[in-house]
Amino acid sequence: MIAAAIILTGIGTYAMRAFFIFALARYTFPPLMLRALEYVAPTVMAALVISMMTNTRGELTASWAEALGLVAAAVVAKFTGNHIFALLAGMGTFWVIRWII
Amino acid sequence: MDCLQLERANSSNYSNLGPTLVNMNKVVTSPFARGSLDALPLFIPAIPFAFVFGVVVANAGIPGWLGWSSSPIIFGGAIQVTLFTLLGEGASVAAAVSAALIVGARHLFYSLTLAPRFQDQPGWFRWVGSYVLIDQVFVLSQIKPIEEPQTFRRYFLAAGFTFWTLWMMFTALGVILGPAIPASWGVEFAAPVLFISLMMAASNRKDKLAAAALAMGIALAFSHLPHRTGILLAVAISVTVMLVARRWSS
């Protein structure tokens, strides 16, 4: 049963990843659609951050430490464009504030 | 001022790509090496997640090797964790599988967004590339817009399979070691920190940043919906709003 669940989920996940790549392999994308697709990456990342900061009841689980950690990471990412620096800034801020409070 | 800086950062990104990726005869760095090197730092937040995965598999009472087999078969952290959490709670196979797939439904957006880039690629790459189309690889492909098909393919595969190899190794460790990292350290917070950093990198224009901010608000408003469906709504609504706004302003 467990093996069946893993295989079914594997097939489903692969199908979702491959679906449009195969379905639209010969499709001419209208300019409006190409413009819309430019927004997918920033909006998915934004929504993922929020989903990680909320519980299943829709309540924010972030305290000041998390909130300021995310702000620090965003600022450092914007000015350095370096994910390691952003990670260090975000985690550093988070740990320091949590230690103070 | 802000806008100018973003524009400049953006154009310098493009010129950086030129010598490194297109003129490969003159520079040592190949797209394979670049893809691997770009994927490495993105894997750091996945390390605590791999240990969380190990704990979830153990708690569900599933043999380690069977739980680990989901890493090559599914290759999607959140999807794997959702599946085993629900199976562990006694959900039916149908319920657990469908919940896991809804959690992973954002991959349909990735597939749609990358479809134009895969049009000038050989058939085998559509099959193989789809397999490693995870969050991080998708964002990398969006942050570094590589025009040349072969360079794009090599970069994409290198990033994808670097991440894949590490995920196989660390989920194996996670299954064997279980809770090796104390929960009190809060290292799981590295995941949202990385994603906000990726969000900033993907928002190289003011309107993209606005779209991201809007998506955050919508995701928050819909965060009570089950299986992270709020993510899908946030993307669909904010992309539509941005298109309408662009139409209006032009």
Side-chain angles (χ1 to χ4, degrees), chain B residues 54-144:
Chain B
V55 175
V56 168
V57 169
N59 288 348
I62 295 166
W65 63 270
L66 186 58
W68 179 84
S69 76
S70 68
S71 283
I73 295 174
I74 300 172
F75 189 39
I79 303 172
Q80 293 170 251
V81 166
T82 307
L83 181 70
F84 294 130
T85 305
L86 290 175
L87 288 175
E89 287 169 359
S92 69
V93 168
V97 169
S98 43
L101 290 180
I102 295 168
V103 166
R106 62 177 178 276
H107 291 88
L108 282 166
F109 283 122
Y110 302 163
S111 187
L112 180 62
T113 306
L114 280 173
R117 290 301 288 120
F118 273 67
Q119 285 181 339
D120 48 13
Q121 296 290 345
W124 67 265
F125 180 62
R126 290 188 194 134
W127 290 98
V128 179
S130 296
Y131 173 58
V132 289
L133 180 48
I134 58 172
D135 296 310
Q136 292 84 347
V137 174
F138 167 70
V139 187
L140 279 180
S141 77
Q142 297 298 296
I143 294 171
K144 296 219 165 139

Side-chain angles (χ1 to χ4, degrees), chain B residues 166-180:
Chain B
L166 292 167
W167 183 244
M168 296 310 124
M169 285 163 45
F170 278 90
T171 47
L173 271 181
V175 164
I176 294 164
L177 299 177

Side-chain angles (χ1 to χ4, degrees), chain A residues 42-60:
Chain A
T43 55
V44 172
M45 292 302 114
L48 271 173
V49 171
I50 294 300
S51 85
M52 289 170 181
M53 293 285 98
T54 47
N55 62 22
T56 47
R57 287 189 301 278
E59 298 151 346
L60 266 181

